[in-house]
Amino acid sequence: MGTVITFKRPDGKDASGYLANAARGNAPGVVVIQEWWGLQDQIKGLCDRFALAGFDALAPDLYKGTVVPYHDTDSANREMNSLDFMDATTQTVRGAAQFLSKNGAKVGLTGFCLGGAVTIIGATKIPELAAGVVFYGIPPEQAAKPADVKIPLQAHFANKDDWCTPQVVDAFEKGMKAAGKSLELFRYDAEHAFVNEQRQAVHDREAAELAWGRATEFFRKHLG
């Protein structure tokens, strides 16, 4: 449904990503950020789904062409740890937001796992954004403090998550509340990465559909 495009980062360098356009011409935009596996077909499928829901969706390729097979957690971990999160967020992700906002459209940001952490960093660093939806990822506080979040956030977390643990989620929620920030937070009795239908071991269809409905409704409210 979508297509691979090249777009400019604020520093003038080229970045690439997968773009799926809504049927209407003046659609709001959503930037979609990958898991630690890279720009998998599952993420492209979510862009297609956002397009069907009425949003132009662009998933920037933060790993520049590297896609890690789902079984290879060592390689995924290596790729994630070698990613410059600040450069990825303030340049590549911001460039994607600028691309989607060029006709005056409002733009949101969403991401999964690694992309959830990037979404929170983006909420503090990217002025083009109007809203963000976080899926099971939180950056360390030195990368993005709750007090610095500039947009309304919605967040989806799994109770059986050993990476983005319930304790980490509780601390994030507490920090956002203390800072007086707008946060809708949902917890699901599911595993980390429960939205990813390509990973049958963790996919939870009921939780995924509930989260998807909440996310699209949130974006419609804040992006139009």
Side-chain angles (χ1 to χ4, degrees):
M1 184 170 161
T3 182
V4 173
I5 63 153
T6 302
F7 59 91
K8 288 284 181 203
R9 297 171 15 133
D11 63 7
K13 292 180 187 168
D14 284 337
S16 73
Y18 179 86
L19 175 70
N21 285 119
R24 66 185 173 114
N26 61 341
V30 176
V31 181
V32 182
I33 308 299
Q34 67 198 46
E35 297 178 311
W36 70 343
W37 311 107
L39 189 47
Q40 281 275 5
D41 286 343
Q42 189 265 342
I43 294 293
K44 295 176 181 175
L46 284 170
C47 289
D48 294 343
R49 204 171 168 190
F50 271 118
L52 289 170
F55 303 91
D56 291 340
L58 173 56
D61 185 356
L62 301 189
Y63 286 177
K64 301 175 180 152
T66 299
V67 180
V68 180
Y70 282 128
H71 65 271
D72 193 352
T73 52
D74 288 347
S75 292
N77 202 31
R78 198 162 52 244
E79 289 295 332
M80 181 173 78
N81 287 333
S82 63
L83 181 69
D84 181 337
F85 274 75
M86 282 305 159
D87 178 78
T89 305
T90 60
Q91 293 295 330
T92 306
V93 179
R94 188 178 178 195
Q98 288 174 336
F99 178 88
L100 291 174
S101 70
K102 63 182 186 289
N103 296 325
K106 285 187 175 178
V107 178
L109 175 61
T110 190
F112 303 79
C113 167
L114 171 161
V118 167
T119 299
I120 295 172
I121 300 170
T124 70
K125 303 270 185 204
I126 301 175
E128 288 79 8
L129 297 175
V133 177
V134 178
F135 284 88
Y136 33 78
I138 295 173
E141 195 155 296
Q142 63 266 29
K145 293 184 183 69
D148 296 332
V149 169
K150 297 180 174 71
I151 54 174
L153 288 180
Q154 185 184 77
H156 305 271
F157 296 106
N159 291 331
K160 301 177 208 166
D161 194 329
D162 56 8
W163 182 64
C164 194
T165 63
Q167 291 80 358
V168 170
V169 174
D170 289 345
F172 173 69
E173 182 179 34
K174 200 172 163 186
M176 287 287 285
K177 271 190 183 144
K181 300 297 175 176
S182 173
L183 175 68
E184 284 181 16
L185 191 140
F186 300 99
R187 292 172 173 83
Y188 302 82
D189 206 18
E191 313 254 350
H192 181 80
F194 65 83
V195 172
N196 191 337
E197 73 280 357
Q198 289 189 340
R199 297 186 60 218
Q200 286 303 317
V202 293
H203 180 235
D204 185 317
R205 188 184 172 89
E206 196 178 332
E209 290 305 311
L210 185 56
W212 174 261
R214 286 165 168 168
T216 49
E217 192 180 320
F218 184 80
F219 277 143
R220 285 194 188 100
K221 177 180 158 188
H222 291 284
L223 308 180

